[in-house]
Amino acid sequence: MADVLIVEDDATIRTALVRALTARQHSTMTAPTAMEGLQSLVEHRPDVVLLDLGLPDLDGASLLAMIRAVSDVPVIVVSARDEGAEIVALLNAGADDYLVKPFAADQLDARIRAVLRRAESAEVSGPVTVGGIVVDARARTALLDGVPLDLSPKEFDLLYYLAERPGEVVGKRELLAKVWNQPYGGADKTVDVHLSWLRRKLGESADAPRYLHRVRGVGVKLAPPP
Ligand code: CA
């Protein structure tokens, strides 16, 4: 299934993880320290990383930052610390999921499959066109009627996410989870604010929408003007 890099200093847990993942058709490589983990990541390019937070040489959060500087590989944080705030901070720092020890091997396997599915669907494809809007994820450019749009990174991500689903109503919670990587985020105004900025850059208003349509109480959709 997947090549899994396990960064874990506890030999007993490491062995148990290798055994459990091997039994589920994954191949594994292990690193007992953060620096060896980083080296293994660069050399072997695994499909997914299991990252223990308590490592002898470096905190897992620091290692996560170093991983994100060089790779988009899905990272599942494996933590003994059941601390909500810390987990949220790690998810915001680029972790894809987390598990609190102890956990069942089947649960780990399910999480690995889920992050791999997400990574696959996020694989960059060709430009997406919705009416006069063309979004090119590879070049990170967006055009409206041939004119480049000056978008912030999040506005771009938001537009791209909606453009990939033309005519589909997307909920705010989904946007928060997929665009902001905050699956556990509260009901803040982040999405609304970015939607209104994006709307302005598309040259339209809430009263006279062309592309960006609000569906009250449900979410928002991007659709070509009639
Ligand atoms: Ca540890």
Side-chain angles (χ1 to χ4, degrees):
M1 273 298 298
D3 293 329
V4 184
L5 169 59
I6 301 163
V7 187
E8 166 67 69
D9 61 320
D10 185 316
T12 309
I13 296 174
R14 217 162 52 224
T15 306
L17 285 172
V18 168
R19 195 174 301 142
L21 291 173
T22 305
R24 285 162 184 78
Q25 273 73 52
H26 298 295
S27 63
T28 58
M29 56 202 104
T30 62
T33 66
M35 292 326 288
E36 282 169 85
L38 195 61
Q39 193 179 349
S40 183
L41 172 80
V42 172
E43 275 172 20
H44 303 296
R45 301 175 142 277
D47 299 317
V48 58
V49 176
L50 298 188
L51 177 59
D52 174 36
L53 282 190
L55 293 167
D57 53 338
L58 199 64
D59 189 72
S62 309
L63 177 58
L64 177 62
M66 293 167 80
I67 290 173
R68 278 292 164 260
V70 296
S71 169
D72 289 330
V73 65
V75 174
I76 300 174
V77 168
V78 177
S79 171
R81 314 169 201 168
D82 185 8
E83 284 185 33
E86 186 177 21
I87 287 166
V88 170
L90 282 160
L91 290 168
N92 286 337
D96 295 86
D97 206 347
Y98 73 96
L99 278 169
V100 176
K101 294 177 199 168
F103 49 82
D106 283 332
Q107 194 184 358
L108 172 62
D109 185 41
R111 299 293 179 97
I112 288 174
R113 287 167 193 271
V115 296
L116 288 176
R117 271 198 305 275
R118 286 209 293 270
E120 245 167 57
S121 67
E123 243 164 50
V124 169
S125 49
V128 179
T129 302
V130 180
I133 297 177
V134 180
V135 189
D136 187 339
R138 210 174 298 222
R140 285 193 73 85
T141 56
L143 305 176
L144 173 61
D145 299 328
V147 180
L149 290 167
D150 182 21
L151 303 177
S152 73
K154 279 300 170 210
E155 288 163 3
F156 180 87
D157 292 343
L158 180 59
L159 179 63
Y160 183 61
Y161 192 83
L162 293 171
E164 276 194 303
R165 297 158 181 76
E168 189 183 311
V169 181
V170 181
K172 273 197 265 180
R173 191 159 289 278
E174 179 179 342
L175 290 172
L176 210 51
K178 297 296 170 60
V179 178
W180 277 267
N181 214 353
Q182 293 182 13
Y184 314 99
D188 62 32
K189 291 276 165 220
T190 307
V191 176
D192 285 325
V193 169
H194 281 81
L195 279 171
S196 72
W197 287 339
L198 181 59
R199 169 171 284 138
R200 202 177 312 158
K201 290 187 178 173
L202 292 172
E204 56 187 68
S205 68
D207 296 335
R210 292 179 68 231
Y211 284 96
L212 213 48
H213 298 269
R214 222 36 198 283
V215 180
R216 190 182 282 271
V218 186
V220 64
K221 69 176 175 185
L222 189 79

